[in-house]
Amino acid sequence: GGNVTDGQSKSASCAACHGATGKAVNSIYPNLAGQNADYLALSLHAYKKGERSGGQAGIMQAFSSSLSDQDISDLAAYYASLTPLK
Amino acid sequence: GGNVTDGQSKSASCAACHGATGKAVNSIYPNLAGQNADYLALSLHAYKKGERSGGQAGIMQAFSSSLSDQDISDLAAYYASLTPLK
């Protein structure tokens, strides 16, 4: 399973677009705070595998390419733990 | 722009997985309540264009294939208008 504290420590690159608290800095990006951890992990794996294209998918594939399975689980646990903000 | 009321009336198919209030019924699906409308619309267009594969993407492509640009805007406005629940 994912570790929230480890996920937070690995989230610096994510925060540039998705916000330090999981509230996206631009509306073309998704908010991540409070999202389901399972979905977040599936999405990161999909980007890593190149299953998403168009839009910002290239950027997400580049970022996710260096993530291990544990990194992905930790990041998913971290963002899922945050309180969603509208 | 999208119309929240029209979006709600078009959301019956979405609710089966994403919940009547945008809280997903299973953690492998994303919560949609309070998500950014711009991101929601971009995602639906990506599914419709076949830019996402793997996982549940086939189901989403099938559902989105019949949506017009206005339908997508309306659905995005509706889910963005809902209060996110963790």
Side-chain angles (χ1 to χ4, degrees):
Chain A
N3 181 286
V4 171
T5 305
D6 290 347
Q8 182 173 19
S9 75
K10 297 171 180 177
S11 69
S13 299
C14 316
C17 294
H18 295 286
T21 59
K23 174 72 177 171
V25 302
N26 185 304
S27 64
I28 68 166
Y29 308 129
N31 302 321
L32 302 183
Q35 188 52 274
N36 295 318
D38 287 344
Y39 176 73
L40 290 171
L42 287 168
S43 297
L44 280 169
H45 282 290
Y47 283 117
K48 184 177 178 181
K49 288 188 279 188
E51 292 180 342
R52 293 185 175 188
S53 61
Q56 310 302 311
I59 295 170
M60 283 302 301
Q61 186 173 8
F63 274 117
S64 59
S65 65
S66 62
L67 299 177
S68 68
D69 289 354
Q70 187 62 52
D71 292 338
I72 288 175
S73 294
D74 292 345
L75 287 165
Y78 169 59
Y79 282 108
S81 78
L82 299 173
T83 299
L85 299 168
K86 191 171 169 181
Chain B
N3 181 287
V4 171
T5 305
D6 290 348
Q8 182 171 20
S9 74
K10 297 172 180 178
S11 68
S13 299
C14 316
C17 293
H18 295 286
T21 60
K23 173 74 177 171
V25 302
N26 185 303
S27 63
I28 69 167
Y29 308 129
N31 303 322
L32 301 182
Q35 188 54 274
N36 295 317
D38 287 344
Y39 175 72
L40 291 172
L42 287 168
S43 297
L44 280 169
H45 282 290
Y47 283 117
K48 184 177 179 180
K49 287 188 278 186
E51 292 180 342
R52 294 185 174 188
S53 61
Q56 310 301 312
I59 295 169
M60 284 302 301
Q61 187 172 7
F63 274 117
S64 58
S65 65
S66 62
L67 299 176
S68 69
D69 289 355
Q70 188 63 52
D71 291 338
I72 288 176
S73 293
D74 292 344
L75 287 166
Y78 169 59
Y79 282 108
S81 77
L82 298 174
T83 300
L85 299 169
K86 190 171 169 181

